Amino acid sequence: MSYQIVTDCGANLNEEQAKTYGVKVLPMKYKLGETEYNSGIEDSPERLKEFYTRLRNKEKITTSLVTREECDRVILPLLQNGQDVLVIAFSSGLSGSYQNIFNCCNDYAAEFPNRKIRVVDSLCAALGQGLAIHYASALQKEGKSLDEVADWVEQNKESICHLFTLDNLFFLKRGGRLSGTSALVGTLLNIKPMLHTADDGKLYVTGKVRGRRTAILELAKTAAKRGYELKKQPVFIVHGDCEDDAKLLANELKKIGVKDITINCLGPVIAAHSGPGTLAIFFLGTPR
């Protein structure tokens, strides 16, 4: 019996990637001024440019979770058409979307008792979640069952490493994604915080370095140490409107033999909390 993989915009996939992986994407909304937008595969380069300009101006931006309306629009028709559904959701440590999706799918399970529905808390974010989708899609195309794919994600999600740096911690502080104690790291002149996503799916400061270039080199150095045969696996990079920095990071990785590198611009729902200048790298490696 066929099954459909569904994710949400926390995975930071663009439209082309969603098509390549054969996944459906649940959007989340963000509000700039009086205008509300869907964030997900609808994020065009023009809209992202406007978003980051206004973000740098520290305009108030609010974000919302995946709603019942969106689950009904995306997931419900799949079940009605006889498909099983595997949802790989944004980390519950960073968003309530996982719980919303889980609750909706519980209701669907009662309505469609003959359909298989599983919702996996990826404990991942941005292209870390996207990397989980990458491997899930590959396994599905190999003929693995829904349960086999879901189990793989459950068993390997803590090996999807998330390493990142920010220009400053203002946006994480403003959005409540980081404690006041941790945020003190960002107060010193030209000190760049190094962070990661831990086993609980939450963000933690792991250290600090002086200068942006040093921070970028530290990302590459740490990835080289922690990656499982980094030369033989896909490595994903996401940037908050700092493409040149992302390219510098990619070039450092190429120096150590990494060949398969994907770079995406960070979408508004996450960038509203991490800010412009966010730079992150994702790969399979030693547990977080």
Side-chain angles (χ1 to χ4, degrees):
M1 190 172 294
S2 67
Y3 64 95
Q4 175 66 53
I5 297 176
V6 176
T7 191
D8 55 64
C9 78
N12 213 119
L13 301 176
N14 59 37
E15 185 173 12
E16 181 180 353
Q17 290 165 333
K19 287 180 179 178
T20 298
Y21 294 142
V23 300
K24 303 290 186 182
V25 180
L26 294 160
M28 300 180 204
K29 295 184 184 298
Y30 68 97
K31 191 173 183 179
L32 265 172
E34 297 303 314
T35 306
E36 191 171 61
Y37 303 90
N38 272 343
S39 182
I41 59 175
E42 298 94 336
D43 292 323
S44 65
E46 294 76 20
R47 187 190 292 179
L48 287 171
K49 182 177 180 180
E50 178 191 3
F51 166 80
Y52 275 102
T53 296
R54 297 174 70 173
L55 186 64
R56 285 189 170 91
N57 290 333
K58 294 185 169 61
E59 288 191 39
K60 183 178 179 181
I61 301 171
T62 58
T63 62
S64 62
L65 311 177
V66 172
T67 64
R68 176 65 184 243
E69 178 184 10
E70 292 298 341
C71 289
D72 285 350
R73 184 181 65 83
V74 174
I75 299 175
L76 196 54
L78 300 171
L79 301 169
Q80 291 169 336
N81 291 332
Q83 287 187 283
D84 296 335
V85 174
L86 168 60
V87 185
I88 301 174
F90 189 22
S91 171
S92 64
L94 297 172
S95 170
S97 287
Y98 162 75
Q99 193 61 53
N100 281 6
I101 297 168
F102 182 85
N103 291 342
C104 289
C105 287
N106 257 356
D107 293 342
Y108 300 150
E111 186 177 352
F112 298 93
N114 294 324
R115 298 274 73 79
K116 181 180 288 292
I117 310 170
R118 283 189 63 175
V119 183
V120 176
D121 179 0
S122 72
L123 297 178
C124 295
L127 281 184
Q129 184 180 344
L131 194 58
I133 296 297
H134 169 90
Y135 285 108
S137 173
L139 290 169
Q140 183 186 38
K141 290 173 181 177
E142 289 175 8
K144 301 297 184 183
S145 70
L146 185 155
D147 281 327
E148 287 175 316
V149 175
D151 290 345
W152 186 94
V153 176
E154 288 282 12
Q155 292 162 11
N156 290 277
K157 61 189 182 184
E158 292 177 9
S159 293
I160 299 177
C161 298
H162 300 50
L163 307 176
F164 62 108
T165 188
L166 308 176
D167 265 352
N168 62 69
L169 294 174
F170 168 82
F171 295 93
L172 282 183
K173 287 165 58 181
R174 183 172 73 172
R177 261 57 179 187
L178 201 65
S179 71
T181 300
S182 295
L184 291 175
V185 175
T187 62
L188 301 177
L189 181 63
N190 206 30
I191 293 296
K192 302 303 179 184
M194 308 300 296
L195 304 93
H196 81 142
T197 303
D199 290 349
D200 59 3
K202 296 180 181 180
L203 308 180
Y204 296 93
V205 174
T206 58
K208 57 186 183 290
V209 297
R210 186 172 295 278
R212 179 69 167 183
R213 181 178 176 82
T214 304
I216 295 170
L217 298 179
E218 184 66 21
L219 288 176
K221 180 180 176 182
T222 304
K225 287 180 179 178
R226 293 186 55 192
Y228 294 142
E229 297 185 287
L230 209 60
K231 300 176 184 179
K232 299 180 180 180
Q233 61 164 295
V235 174
F236 287 2
I237 296 171
V238 73
H239 68 90
D241 197 33
C242 52
E243 188 174 9
D244 287 346
D245 289 345
K247 289 179 178 177
L248 174 58
L249 176 56
N251 286 335
E252 291 301 313
L253 295 171
K254 290 174 184 177
K255 290 178 183 178
I256 59 172
V258 180
K259 297 180 177 63
D260 188 352
I261 301 172
T262 295
I263 299 175
N264 279 14
C265 184
L266 185 62
V269 167
I270 296 178
H273 301 286
S274 64
T278 301
L279 184 63
I281 182 172
F282 311 92
F283 55 91
L284 285 180
T286 55
R288 303 175 191 174

